[in-house]
Every structure is written in C-alpha cells, then in structure tokens.
Amino acid sequence: MGSVEEVRSLLEEGLTQAQRSLRLHLGLSRTYWVFIDRKNKYGGEKQQNKSSELYTGDGSVDISGKPVLKQNTGKWRACPFILGTECCERLAYYGIATNLVSYLTNKLHEGNVSAARNVTTWSGTCYLTPLIGAVLADAYWGRYWTIAAFSTIYLIGMCTLTLSASIPAFMPADCVGSACPSATPAQYAVFFLGLYLIALGTGGIKPCVSSFGADQFDDTDPKERVKKGSFFNWFYLSINIGSLVSSSLIVWIQDNAGWGLGFGIPTLFMGIAIASFFAGTPLYRFQKPGGSPLTRMCQVLAASFRKWNMEVPGDSSLLYETQTSAIEGSRKIEHSDELKCLDKAAVLSDAEIKSGDFSNSWKLCTVTQVEELKILIRMFPIWATGIVFSAVYAQMSTMFVEQGMMMDTSIGSFTIPPASLSTFDVISVIFWVPVYDRVIVPIARKFTGKERGFSELQRMGIGLFLSVLCMSAAAVVEINRLQIARELGLVEKGVAVPMSIFWQIPQYFLLGAAEIFTFIGQLEFFYDQSPDAMRSLCSALSLLTTSLGNYLSSFILTVVTYLSTRGGKAGWIPDNLNEGHLDYFFWLLAGLSFLNMLVYIVCAKKYKSKKAS
C-alpha cells in the first residue's frame, strides 16, 4: 500500500476513473479532494461568480429547458399567476365541499351519519390522490405539466357534478311530507363520478402548486430564501380568500337559488384558474424532474439488504458519493449518523472497487440517495401527529354544520345557511396571515434570532395547542344547546333550539388560528426539509395527513355510533341531535388532540434537520 506522498503525487497528475476509486480503498479523506477541486477551478471562479449574479443557482430552467435569468423570471413577478390559480381553484373546491353535507341530506335524502361519512371519505380521497400527482411530477412530468394535465380532469369532474344537479333525470324527487325517495343507482353514479373525478384532478394540483410557487425563489440566494417564507403565508391567504367567497356567496346561492347554479359558478372559476396558470408561463422557473423517488428508495433498501453482512466504516468519507449529485435537480445531502443500517447501501465492496463499476444503483447507492430515505423516516413521527389535527379540521364541514342546523339561523327575516359559519374560519385566517407575517414574525425574530420568527416545528406545535381549545369551545356550545333543548322540552321534537348560531363563532375562529400555525408550518416544513428531488412527494405526504384525518374522523364516527347505540339507545349522534350527546364527541376529539400534542412535543425535540451541501 502506497504512502500518502505517493497518493498525493498521483492526484496532482490526474487519475483515471478506475484509479480514483482507489482513494476509497486507501481511506483518503474527501477533504483533500475538495482542496484539489478548488485548485483546479480557481481560474474560473470569477466567471462563475459573474454567472451566479445573472442566473439562478438552484438549477431552475425556463419552459424550453434553458437556464433562466434572475432578473426576468420568478420571485413575486411570477407569483400572482400562481396565487390567482390557487385562489380560483380553492373557490371551486370549497364551493363543492363546504355545503356538500347539506346537498347529501336535503337533496339525496341521506341520514346525518351517512352524509358525514360520505363527505369525510370524499375529502380524504381528495388528499390521498396527491400521492399520484406528486410521483408523476417528481419523476416524469415536472410540476408544471402535472398541474396542467390534472386541471383538465378536474374541470371535467366539475362539469359532470353541475349536470347531476341541473338535469331533473339525474336528481331524486323532492320529499312529499315526511316521505323522501332515495336516489336511484344511476343518479348516485353520475353524482359520485363527478365528485371523484374532482378528487383525482385535485390530486395533481394540491402537491404541486405550493411547491411550484416556492420554486420561483432561488434557495441559494439569501434574499429570495427569506421571501419564500412569506410566500407560504400569502399562498395560504389566497386559499382562504377563495374559501371565503365559497362559504358565503356560493353557499347562499346553493341554498336559495338552486344547486345547478351553485355548482356551475365554481365550475366557471375552475376554468379561470386554468387560464391564470397558463398566462404566467413565460415568467415561471421550472425544476427538472429527478426520476422516480420511489425507485430510489427501493434501491437503497435493496442495496442495504444485499450488503447486510458488510461493516459500515467509521469514517463517513469512505462511503460512496459522486463529485456532483447523481440525482438531477438535487443538491448533495451531508451524511447523518442516524439509521446506520441504511449506510450499508453506500459501502463499496471489494468486487466493485476491483471492477471500477459503480453504475448499478440496486447494488450501490450514493450517500445523498441514502440520506433521502433517512429524511423521510425522520419526518414520519412529525407527519403522523398531523393526522389527529386534520380529524379536528374535518369537523368544520361535518359536525359543526350539523350542530349549526339545530340552532337559530335567523337574523330578522334573513336566514343564515349553517355551512356559511365557516366564513368565520376564513376571516380568522385572513386576519391572522398579515398579522403573523408583518407583526408576530418581526417580534419573534428579535427573541429567537430565526429569520422566520419561529421554526416550522414551533409553529406547528402552537397550532396543535389551539386545536385543543377549538374542540373544547365546540363542546361547551353543545352543552349549552342541549341544556336549552331540555329546558324548553324540545328533546323529542328534533327542531332547532332558540340559541343563536353565532355562538359557534369562537370555535371557527380558534380553528382558523390553528390553521395558520399548523397547516402553513407543515407547508414550510415539508418543503424545506425534503430532498430537492422529492419536494412534490413530501408536499403530498403533508396533504396525506388531511386525508388520513378525514378517514380517522369517519372511523371515529363509525365506532362511536356502534358503541353508543347498543341496547337501542339513540347514541351520541342521532338524526335528532337534541336526543344525542354531540358534546361527548367533541370532548373525545379534544382529549385525543391533547394527547397528540404531547407526543408531538417529544418527537419535535428529537428531530434533526436536513443538511444540504
């Protein structure tokens, strides 16, 4: 084995690719290679610095695949088109989702539990399909073309749903007294076809739009990186502006002017969303797809299993890594000491060193590829704690609405649709976004020293605490509502009690504040902490918590109904809520939220952030 001086001499002269692999066998530190690279590139540094001022440093390109000039593209110049797209798309989505439980109960004549279950199942599917869109975006199509393709599917679904509520043959007959005919299988088929085409279409938009917007800011530019933090706040604000219009104007139209028009207007806005998105094309920055993230993760598992008996060297510089990232569109990720069993995938075998063939990723993976999987595993506990929060959030479109139906909804001669109370959730969000961005962040920055005021983990933790307060407020309102029903002898009559629906405002307002901290914190966390070539997938994973939260809500409803109706009892959530105990259900969710918050605090303290080179 040669001396260090002999190796240094060989390096200075330049080695062939096969000879370069020898340095791994000899245990030469990567530090020396960095020194060599810097020496070789010294003459071109000035030219590179000049280029970095003109072009983005994160590998973004234009629609033709050419490097983009910083001055002419991206940043807030491109964002209005993306924010406009999101605002209109969310108006369309919430124009369907906000009052869907009312359509199912009043027009399709379903019971309370069945309607709530259908709504939460559909909502859950809307947040499950983003996994499909994310994989296509990261691996093959890129975020832009994925949004374009799935928006078309979305629009077709909206049109189908509008037809199902407009053509008499597709709608069940109206109730005659207490007799309400059920929808026919064909009527159900057309309605749910449109509904689930929307669920599929939104799957290509949800995980990509926020990431595509964040892509307009160069991660390697400190000034643009700070603006990216503000983008997520204003992105969420645009969501809620669309939601505000839906929960107020669109819901009123549905309840008073007809469901055909009430579904048709959101369809029109979906068309506007598509037009807005394409209008900004010349200004966008695009990230190239880096290949299938699922394939890369499987390769790491396969390679580490093949080399299960090999020892991981104590010096991480001996693990296999290429000089530049082998994954297109991704920076290299520094090695971490956790989950060392996966490091076996990056250990060079004697046969690989001898042959000099490192091309088979199913046998040998780079450190960056291994770290991608490690990052996802580290994220998992934080991700899982978002499921219970999403179950709480699901109550806004189900149990909160059904609670409101049994309260006084009149103001003089004007009747307030119960679903319109979600307007106060939106107002809360619209109020808190600028306050958080312009007031809270600068104040918090002085105390924490963080450029965004709070870390993403701190921000999410505050939101989880607020969710406990939200469910507690809902339970207190229900206790008082039931008390009034008993005092006035309305328990068996199943009619609304003379208690103003505006008593629901605190629970909606608290839920809006919780959203600002938890959901926006999730957007930031899963974008910043994800590997560069897996950002759509990680955004989809954050949305998946909403899906699983809706499924969890459906599961809890099913279990509660089964257990509470045994022995012929009315149960906690009967069709006549005056006979039930919806307050028990809200206290159950408050307790689960509190336990979830404690688990989150433990997981957040143990989390270690990603380090990109």
Side-chain angles (χ1 to χ4, degrees):
M1 188 175 292
S3 66
V4 174
E5 287 77 17
E6 291 172 333
V7 176
R8 182 180 291 113
S9 176
L10 288 171
L11 291 173
E12 294 286 6
E13 293 173 5
L15 301 175
T16 64
Q17 182 61 33
Q19 288 171 321
R20 285 173 188 247
S21 66
L22 183 62
R23 56 104 175 182
L24 294 165
H25 187 58
L26 297 176
L28 187 63
S29 171
R30 274 202 197 98
T31 305
Y32 187 70
W33 278 86
V34 172
F35 168 77
I36 296 291
D37 291 339
R38 287 178 178 174
K39 182 176 180 180
N40 291 338
K41 295 178 181 179
Y42 179 75
E45 282 184 351
K46 291 184 179 180
Q47 184 64 34
Q48 289 175 355
N49 289 337
K50 186 176 180 180
S51 296
S52 66
E53 294 175 0
L54 296 174
Y55 297 95
T56 56
D58 60 357
S60 53
V61 296
D62 62 15
I63 188 69
S64 302
K66 300 176 182 178
V68 290
L69 291 169
K70 280 187 176 183
Q71 185 177 357
N72 299 333
T73 59
K75 297 177 287 190
W76 290 113
R77 184 184 293 102
C79 287
F81 298 97
I82 298 171
L83 296 177
T85 299
E86 183 64 11
C87 180
C88 292
E89 186 273 327
R90 289 291 85 187
L91 187 151
Y93 175 80
Y94 286 113
I96 304 301
T98 302
N99 210 22
L100 185 58
V101 70
S102 296
Y103 186 82
L104 290 170
T105 54
N106 297 330
K107 293 298 179 180
L108 295 185
H109 310 141
E110 293 190 348
N112 283 341
V113 172
S114 176
R117 188 184 297 117
N118 274 328
V119 171
T120 52
T121 301
W122 173 74
S123 298
T125 305
C126 287
Y127 287 90
L128 182 63
T129 53
L131 289 173
I132 301 172
V135 171
L136 289 173
D138 281 339
Y140 308 110
W141 296 353
R143 286 184 263 278
Y144 176 85
W145 290 111
T146 302
I147 294 170
F150 279 78
S151 293
T152 305
I153 298 173
Y154 197 128
L155 186 59
I156 294 172
M158 294 290 295
C159 292
T160 304
L161 195 67
T162 301
L163 291 175
S164 75
S166 303
I167 299 176
F170 293 156
M171 298 183 292
D174 292 332
C175 295
V176 179
S178 59
C180 297
S182 300
T184 64
Q187 290 167 341
Y188 267 121
V190 174
F191 175 77
F192 281 105
L193 173 64
L195 207 58
Y196 279 89
L197 279 175
I198 294 171
L200 177 61
T202 196
I205 299 173
K206 284 180 186 291
C208 296
V209 174
S210 62
S211 296
F212 187 66
D215 288 344
Q216 307 310 309
F217 300 91
D218 187 355
D219 253 345
T220 64
D221 187 319
K223 292 182 180 179
E224 290 193 26
R225 192 164 58 244
V226 173
K227 292 177 181 177
K228 181 182 292 186
S230 291
F231 167 78
F232 286 113
N233 291 327
W234 296 104
F235 176 81
Y236 203 74
L237 178 65
S238 68
I239 291 175
N240 282 273
I241 291 174
S243 177
L244 176 62
V245 176
S246 293
S247 59
S248 54
L249 178 62
I250 301 300
V251 167
W252 186 88
I253 290 173
Q254 290 169 347
D255 284 354
N256 294 277
W259 289 91
L261 183 61
F263 286 161
I265 293 174
T267 302
L268 174 63
F269 273 92
M270 187 59 216
I272 295 173
I274 295 173
S276 173
F277 179 72
F278 284 116
T281 300
L283 300 175
Y284 295 150
R285 296 174 182 176
F286 303 81
Q287 292 288 340
K288 296 179 180 178
S292 172
L294 298 179
T295 300
R296 292 198 300 275
M297 287 187 283
C298 290
Q299 287 171 341
V300 172
L301 293 174
S304 58
F305 182 77
R306 284 172 179 266
K307 298 179 177 179
W308 190 255
N309 294 325
M310 296 187 67
E311 291 186 9
V312 178
D315 184 356
S316 63
S317 66
L318 301 180
L319 297 173
Y320 177 66
E321 181 63 287
T322 53
Q323 191 169 355
T324 58
S325 178
I327 304 167
E328 188 171 9
S330 175
R331 292 167 292 176
K332 291 194 293 185
I333 305 173
E334 293 183 10
H335 177 264
S336 64
D337 293 329
E338 298 174 319
L339 299 168
K340 289 190 175 181
C341 59
L342 296 177
D343 287 338
K344 295 177 184 289
V347 175
L348 281 156
S349 66
D350 291 337
E352 287 164 340
I353 294 172
K354 185 176 180 180
S355 66
D357 182 10
F358 311 134
S359 60
N360 190 341
S361 296
W362 291 96
K363 295 181 179 180
L364 179 65
C365 302
T366 64
V367 169
T368 295
Q369 191 173 339
V370 172
E371 289 300 319
E372 280 188 333
L373 180 56
K374 286 186 182 181
I375 286 171
L376 291 184
I377 295 173
R378 288 202 300 268
M379 282 181 171
F380 179 78
I382 303 296
W383 168 84
T385 55
I387 297 173
V388 175
F389 178 84
S390 295
V392 169
Y393 183 74
Q395 305 315 308
M396 183 172 66
S397 59
T398 55
M399 289 300 113
F400 284 9
V401 175
E402 293 185 6
Q403 182 187 42
M405 289 177 178
M406 300 300 289
M407 300 175 75
D408 183 7
T409 60
S410 62
I411 300 180
S413 60
F414 184 76
T415 301
I416 304 169
S420 289
L421 261 289
S422 61
T423 301
F424 289 97
D425 168 82
V426 179
I427 292 172
S428 176
V429 170
I430 293 174
F431 169 78
W432 281 111
V433 164
V435 169
Y436 181 87
D437 197 56
R438 303 301 183 188
V439 179
I440 296 177
V441 169
I443 294 173
R445 188 182 293 140
K446 294 179 181 179
F447 292 96
T448 63
K450 301 180 185 297
E451 61 184 16
R452 297 181 185 176
F454 297 106
S455 69
E456 297 95 337
L457 293 173
Q458 290 170 335
R459 187 171 186 173
M460 287 188 282
I462 295 171
L464 294 181
F465 172 72
L466 291 173
S467 71
V468 178
L469 299 182
C470 167
M471 296 314 301
S472 300
V476 170
V477 169
E478 183 64 12
I479 289 173
N480 283 278
R481 195 193 68 79
L482 291 175
Q483 179 65 28
I484 294 173
R486 285 192 293 269
E487 291 175 353
L488 299 178
L490 301 176
V491 172
E492 296 180 357
K493 294 183 179 179
V495 296
V497 303
M499 177 182 181
S500 175
I501 195 173
F502 288 117
W503 282 103
Q504 285 190 312
I505 290 176
Q507 65 203 56
Y508 280 105
F509 198 80
L510 284 168
L511 188 58
E515 285 181 66
I516 286 299
F517 287 93
T518 299
F519 281 152
I520 300 180
Q522 282 182 341
L523 284 174
E524 289 187 71
F525 177 78
F526 284 102
Y527 185 89
D528 286 345
Q529 293 299 313
S530 65
D532 294 344
M534 297 173 67
R535 281 175 167 161
S536 295
L537 178 62
C538 288
S539 293
L541 290 176
S542 71
L543 294 168
L544 183 59
T545 62
T546 305
S547 170
L548 296 179
N550 279 277
Y551 290 138
L552 176 61
S553 178
S554 294
F555 175 74
I556 294 173
L557 277 170
T558 302
V559 172
V560 163
T561 301
Y562 172 76
L563 294 178
S564 64
T565 56
R566 288 190 300 181
K569 296 179 181 178
W572 288 4
I573 314 173
D575 289 341
N576 175 14
L577 289 181
N578 292 342
E579 294 179 332
H581 269 291
L582 184 58
D583 55 327
Y584 291 174
F585 178 74
F586 288 149
W587 282 125
L588 174 63
L589 287 179
L592 289 174
S593 297
F594 181 74
L595 293 175
N596 183 62
M597 182 183 68
L598 297 180
V599 173
Y600 173 83
I601 292 171
V602 174
C603 296
K605 286 183 177 179
K606 293 183 178 180
Y607 182 79
K608 293 183 179 179
S609 298
K610 173 192 79 173
K611 293 182 180 179
S613 62

